[in-house]
Amino acid sequence: MKEVVFENAMTTLAQLQEREQRVLCRTYGRYPLSVARAFGCRLVDHQGREYVDLLSGIAVCNLGHSHAELLDVIREQAARLIHVSNLFYQEEQLVLAEKLTATCACDRVFFCNSGAEANEAAIKLARRYMQIIRGKNASEVISLSGSFHGRTLATLAATGQDKVKEGFAPLPEGFTTVAFGDFGSLEQAVNERTAAVLVEIIQGEGGVRPLDNAYLRMLQNFCATRGVLLMVDEVQTGMGRCGTFWAHQHAGLRPDVFTTSKALANGLPMGAMLCTEEAARGFVPGSHATTFGGGALTASVAAKVVDILQRDELPQRAERVGRMALDLFTGLRAIFPDQIVAVRGRGLMLGIELAFPGQEVWRALLDAGYVVNLTQDRILRLLPPLVIAEEDLRGFTQTLGEILERQEVKQS
Ligand SMILES: Cc1ncc(COP(=O)(O)O)c(C=O)c1O
């Protein structure tokens, strides 16, 4: 029998790295941090050092870690029912579907387990709706350059970034990418074979890049006029992160289909596709399914997440605290105009674009106890829990300022 070593205070990062290299597929470039536990907006490593979590497990733990009310739901629900499959009626998923549809203009929900799966469901629904319900030979999905929609073959095909597609050809057909924010090229790309347009309201992996409201409203009118489905990927932007329950609500959009995942169950794997009554006609029993989707445990946790987001007015808080953070970052940019190119975002989805590759700055922030993400090589991306203390954002800004000052001294 091989010896299995469990987490303890003697565990070092080097030991974990060495073990991982032997047993896991090499899919991840990890942060040099092993997380032993987490609470609120703090991560704790095996040596007991605390870090301010400004990433929330990539926009997942919107309510923070180890939330007491969610732990109660997990305990109670796990003792009653965890899984039976979608062969059976389960009240837990109906409660969640009723709560979710009450937050938006969509009428129906399909539950799954991840963001990619939610987008995959959206793509399948769009194709089947067009081909079977509308009787049209329309299967193409148009997405934007810089977008990220997932790692399954179809969602990779929809993703507007070449680097993640390398080595996976042939990808499924029927996907076209047009330039981000350029309405003319979108208009040109739509034809009688187009089933849907798929967009993120703010591109996340693409570098915290928002589409402006004017573009989004034109897009909605255009899709309606051309009989094409408007699909919004809210996997990262949803669940209150951008200051409204769903980011598309800022622009007053009413998408035919939208997807969510990440923060839906605050850390338990869950995804959902929501759609209008009309678009939902695309699926009938047997046309799409998943074993785990909408299981009783994840559904009851997600229902509690929705309750807490609404009760504690966390989308509104995200909007208010996000504005404060943007003001702080704008102040920093005024001090370091040669180092910070732009600051942007909405709610608590924030980006600080550096004028140079940001690896060193990102690493210095981590060493100083702040966990953020670096995307597109130069953009510091912050996705803190929606309950983050304003003090933590002030501390981060001050620390970033000190790091940039050291950089300036080094370069001069
Ligand atoms: C906008 C967006 N869509 C889809 C996905 C894929 O989600 P998952 O990793 O849960 O499959 C992500 C993940 O980062 C995302 O940011």
Side-chain angles (χ1 to χ4, degrees), residues 98-118:
E98 285 158 3
K99 286 182 194 288
L100 286 174
T101 51
T103 64
C104 62
C106 280
D107 308 298
R108 289 182 183 267
V109 188
F110 173 82
F111 288 117
C112 52
N113 313 288
S114 68
E117 270 184 68

Side-chain angles (χ1 to χ4, degrees), residues 63 66-83 91-93 95-96 99 264-266 268 270 295-309 311:
L63 304 185
S66 303
H67 193 288
E69 288 171 276
L70 297 185
L71 294 181
D72 286 344
V73 174
I74 291 172
R75 268 186 225 106
E76 279 164 29
Q77 185 62 49
R80 193 166 48 240
L81 175 68
I82 296 178
H83 173 82
E91 192 174 11
E92 292 83 354
Q93 66 177 235
V95 169
L96 175 59
K99 286 182 194 288
L264 182 54
N266 208 65
L268 297 190
M270 185 172 221
L297 181 63
T298 46
S300 54
V301 172
K304 191 68 177 178
V305 170
V306 174
D307 285 347
I308 295 171
L309 283 172
R311 181 196 69 198

Side-chain angles (χ1 to χ4, degrees), residues 58 113-117 119 148-151 200 202 204-205 233-237 259 261-262 381:
I58 323 182
N113 313 288
S114 68
E117 270 184 68
N119 287 334
F148 184 81
H149 298 297
R151 301 277 188 164
E200 293 159 86
I202 302 178
E205 304 294 318
D233 178 341
E234 292 253 18
V235 167
Q236 191 162 146
T237 52
T259 54
S261 178
K262 289 186 181 285
R381 179 172 49 151

Side-chain angles (χ1 to χ4, degrees), residues 115-126:
E117 270 184 68
N119 287 334
E120 191 86 25
I123 293 163
K124 287 181 73 176
L125 179 74

